[in-house]
Structure formats: C-alpha cells, structure tokens
C-alpha cells in the first residue's frame, strides 16, 4: 500500500488529511512532537479503518525529524507522499508578529519551523522518491506566504521563503517524476481556537481534499485556498 507522512500533524487538518488519504488506500505516518496528540490521532484514524502509526519528533530537531521519517519509511516500505504543515511558533505572548516588530529574534523561530524543518523533512524522503521516479511533496502554510499581510510579518516572511523554494523545487524535480506543491490557507480551519467571530471557516476535510486533488492531478504547484 502507498504511504503518506504527515509532518506537524494536528488534530484538525492532520486528522482530515489522514482520513482523506486513508480513504484512498494510504497508510498514514503521523509525526508531531506531542505523543499525546499522536495517540489521539492514531486512535481516531484506526476507528475509521485507517492504518496509522505515530513517530514523535519536533520539527526543530532536524536529526530527530529525519530519524522519524526513516522509521516511517521502514515501517510502511517507503513514503510516497510527504505533507509538511509549517507550524506557527509562539514568540513571547503572541502567535503573530506585525511587520514593524519583525526582528532577527522574532523571525528566526518561524524560519526554523517553516523552512528548516521543511527542508530537513524533504531531504529525508527525496532520494528514495527520485530513485523510484515517483512521489509527491506538499507544503501547507498560511496565506501570508503569498499575500502580504502586515499583522503576520514574521510568519509571512518565513512562509514566503518556503514558497519560493517550493516552486523552484517543483521545477527542478518535474523531469524526475516527483511533484511538489504549495497550499496557502487564506481561510480559518473550522474549530481553530481564537477564530474571529465574522470568519467563514472551512471544514478541515474540505481542505484535505484539496491536498488530495493536487496530489492526484499533479497540476499547478501553487494553490491559494480561500473560503
């Protein structure tokens, strides 16, 4: 069976990605830093008939992340799809840093999570994909990666760097059979704490199906999702 590795898997989109890809016959490797969260996710997916396994790792611990992906590949006989959810890193008392407050100190944690973690995860699975001449790598960020958003100055800058690298990577790998895509979420995910009262959230299953469609169609590498 094919396998997908979900890095920084959460209880909303991560669960839905596991459910959607699992419904298409994929085994699911779940990677996140919280064993408790991973236990919850694997239990829910198992209840829906999805074969899932947990591999704890923090995306900022690059050797541990690579080791987790190696273990997942050994468990499932390879990784056919990698999906990386760029995490927002809390800096001080806030999840977001406005553009006028961006400093080296506030940007560095976002770069660590969004870019360095993504690059480490990619290099853990890419050699096998290139050797096989097949594979999909999907990266998910907020819309600030592609749409200037002053209140998300640090997260947007980190996401924009990842976005640039992803598009170049897709071009470089196109003739090697590996598809690379970027999903920028310009909508709140239903159930996210702190969502504005006037938001029009999207169900995580709907967003997960967009990821599936990108994998299946292997079309444009760039997708901005709005509600």
């Amino acid at each position: 069976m094919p396998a997908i590795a979900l890095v920084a898997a959460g209880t909303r989109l991560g669960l839905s990605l596991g459910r959607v890809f699992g419904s298409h016959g994929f085994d699911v490797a779940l990677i996140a830093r919280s064993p408790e969260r991973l236990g919850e996710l694997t239990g829910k997916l198992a209840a829906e008939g999805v074969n899932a396994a947990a591999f704890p790792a923090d995306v900022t611990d690059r050797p541990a992340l690579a080791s987790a992906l190696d273990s997942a590949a050994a468990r499932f006989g390879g990784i056919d799809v990698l999906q990386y959810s760029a995490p927002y890193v809390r800096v001080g008392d806030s999840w977001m840093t406005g553009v006028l407050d961006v400093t080296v100190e506030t940007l560095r944690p976002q770069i660590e999570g969004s870019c360095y973690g993504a690059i480490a995860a990619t290099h853990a699975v890419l050699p096998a994909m290139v050797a096989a001449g097949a594979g999909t790598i999907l990266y998910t960020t907020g819309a600030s990666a592609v749409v200037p958003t002053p209140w998300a100055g640090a997260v947007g800058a980190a996401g924009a760097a990842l976005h640039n690298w992803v598009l170049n990577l897709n071009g470089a790998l196109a003739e090697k059979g590996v598809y690379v895509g970027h999903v920028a979420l310009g909508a709140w995910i239903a159930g996210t704490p702190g969502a504005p009262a006037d938001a029009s959230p999207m169900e995580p299953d709907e967003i997960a199906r967009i990821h599936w469609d990108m994998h299946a169609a292997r079309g444009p590498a760039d997708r901005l999702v709005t509600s």
Side-chain angles (χ1 to χ4, degrees):
M1 295 178 68
I4 182 172
L6 303 175
V7 180
T11 56
R12 284 173 289 276
L13 182 55
L15 176 62
S16 289
L17 286 164
R19 177 183 296 128
V20 168
F21 277 80
S23 71
H24 287 87
F26 275 70
D27 292 328
V28 179
L30 298 160
I31 298 172
R33 65 183 179 182
S34 169
E36 292 77 18
R37 180 199 300 173
L38 291 173
E40 177 184 352
L41 291 173
T42 53
K44 288 182 176 180
L45 289 172
E48 297 183 26
V50 177
N51 184 30
F55 302 88
D58 190 320
V59 300
T60 63
D61 185 341
R62 291 184 283 280
L65 176 57
S67 178
L69 284 162
D70 287 346
S71 296
R75 168 71 177 270
F76 294 122
I79 299 298
D80 301 274
V81 178
L82 169 70
Q83 188 273 335
Y84 186 93
S85 291
Y88 293 163
V89 181
R90 189 179 185 92
V91 179
D93 296 327
S94 177
W95 290 102
M96 293 293 169
T97 302
V99 64
L100 294 179
D101 296 318
V102 173
T103 63
V104 171
E105 288 71 28
T106 58
L107 180 57
R108 183 182 292 116
Q110 309 303 342
I111 292 287
E112 286 276 355
S114 293
C115 296
Y116 298 163
I119 292 169
T122 301
H123 284 290
V125 302
L126 188 56
M129 289 183 176
V130 170
T136 294
I137 307 175
L138 299 173
Y139 308 85
T140 308
T141 69
S144 61
V146 297
V147 179
T149 308
W151 53 265
V155 168
L162 177 61
H163 175 248
N164 179 277
W165 182 68
V166 169
L167 296 188
N168 282 317
L169 190 63
N170 181 62
L173 292 173
E175 295 184 354
K176 299 181 184 295
V178 180
Y179 169 73
V180 182
H182 176 255
V183 181
L185 297 181
W188 289 88
I189 300 174
T192 301
D198 60 350
S200 299
M202 293 180 68
E203 291 299 323
D205 280 7
E206 182 180 358
I207 299 171
R209 284 191 289 270
I210 291 171
H211 286 72
W212 170 261
D213 290 344
M214 289 185 71
H215 159 68
R218 299 172 73 88
D222 219 2
R223 182 69 182 269
L224 173 62
V225 177
T226 58
S227 56

